[in-house]
Amino acid sequence: MVEKVKMFEPLAPRLLPLLTERMGRLRIRIDSMRGLGCQSPESSFQGLDSLGEEIDQLGWSLGVACANEGADVLMNRNRGDGSSLLVSYIRELRGKPPLDSNLPLLTSSCPVTLPYAIAQLVWWGSAHAEQPRFECEQGRWHIRGTWEPGDQIPPPDGFLQDSHLTLCSNGIWHLEVPATWMHSK
């Protein structure tokens, strides 16, 4: 049974244990590769590339989570698939399958805090971890997801500069950000 979120909970305390557990699994895989050497199917170039990408994704996700706890370990390094990556982790935390499709890629001008803000809204807003909807209109990205009015405390104002968050009484949150922060599909 999925736990229903009753108030605005910080995401980092929930996300960091998942990321730490993934780090442990990666370390076991690396140790296994060392032990088996060239006999391991993972030691092929494709296996090593895949492992390298997993390590990069995990490092970036840890950096974002830590930054929102006050430690800037990313040094402003952006990742184009950052929103997809974090929303996938939220879905995993909620016991849901991975994303059906990738979310729009972030540009280098996008603040590194946007993927975390989107993930925080998905975590906070829906026990079902629904994938947010993205639309680009009139120079702004419109990102929408669900929330349950009356059950939760909304995020603090100004949690993301140059953005506007609206919590609608029909159970929809609506985040507007500049069009330059993401690539159109």
Side-chain angles (χ1 to χ4, degrees):
M1 185 168 149
V2 176
E3 172 188 339
K4 185 175 177 183
V5 179
K6 291 290 185 188
M7 56 180 276
F8 182 69
E9 297 179 47
L11 173 60
R14 295 286 186 125
L15 189 59
L16 288 172
L18 172 71
L19 298 176
T20 303
E21 185 234 332
R22 284 182 174 250
M23 188 183 327
R25 281 191 266 152
L26 281 174
R27 192 170 76 185
I28 291 169
R29 283 180 54 200
I30 291 168
D31 289 345
S32 172
M33 288 172 64
R34 281 187 188 137
L36 293 173
C38 293
Q39 299 170 353
S40 168
E42 283 191 313
S43 63
S44 68
F45 287 120
Q46 185 178 6
L48 291 174
D49 284 346
S50 173
L51 183 61
E53 177 60 17
E54 275 187 71
I55 291 169
D56 189 53
Q57 289 174 351
L58 180 60
W60 182 86
S61 299
L62 281 166
V64 168
C66 290
N68 281 280
E69 290 296 299
D72 184 8
V73 295
L74 282 177
M75 296 175 278
N76 293 322
R77 185 172 67 107
N78 286 341
R79 190 177 166 92
D81 63 347
S83 294
S84 294
L85 188 58
L86 291 180
V87 170
S88 289
Y89 289 145
I90 298 309
R91 291 181 59 81
E92 183 176 339
L93 283 169
R94 294 285 191 218
K96 302 295 178 187
L99 292 174
D100 295 332
S101 64
N102 289 330
L103 303 182
L105 293 176
L106 306 176
T107 65
S108 59
S109 65
C110 177
V112 296
T113 54
L114 178 63
Y116 189 84
I118 292 169
Q120 181 70 63
L121 286 165
V122 171
W123 170 255
W124 163 76
S126 172
H128 304 292
E130 295 171 14
Q131 179 174 321
R133 293 180 309 280
F134 289 74
E135 296 173 346
C136 190
E137 302 171 353
Q138 300 173 355
R140 304 283 287 175
W141 275 99
H142 300 269
I143 309 163
R144 293 176 179 88
T146 60
W147 72 293
E148 297 180 29
D151 284 350
Q152 302 160 353
I153 299 168
D157 289 335
F159 76 112
L160 188 65
Q161 201 163 9
D162 294 327
S163 70
H164 179 73
L165 176 64
T166 305
L167 303 173
C168 304
S169 61
N170 65 355
I172 301 291
W173 57 259
H174 178 196
L175 177 64
E176 287 185 45
V177 299
T180 57
W181 289 3
M182 289 181 265
H183 296 284
S184 295
K185 291 183 179 183

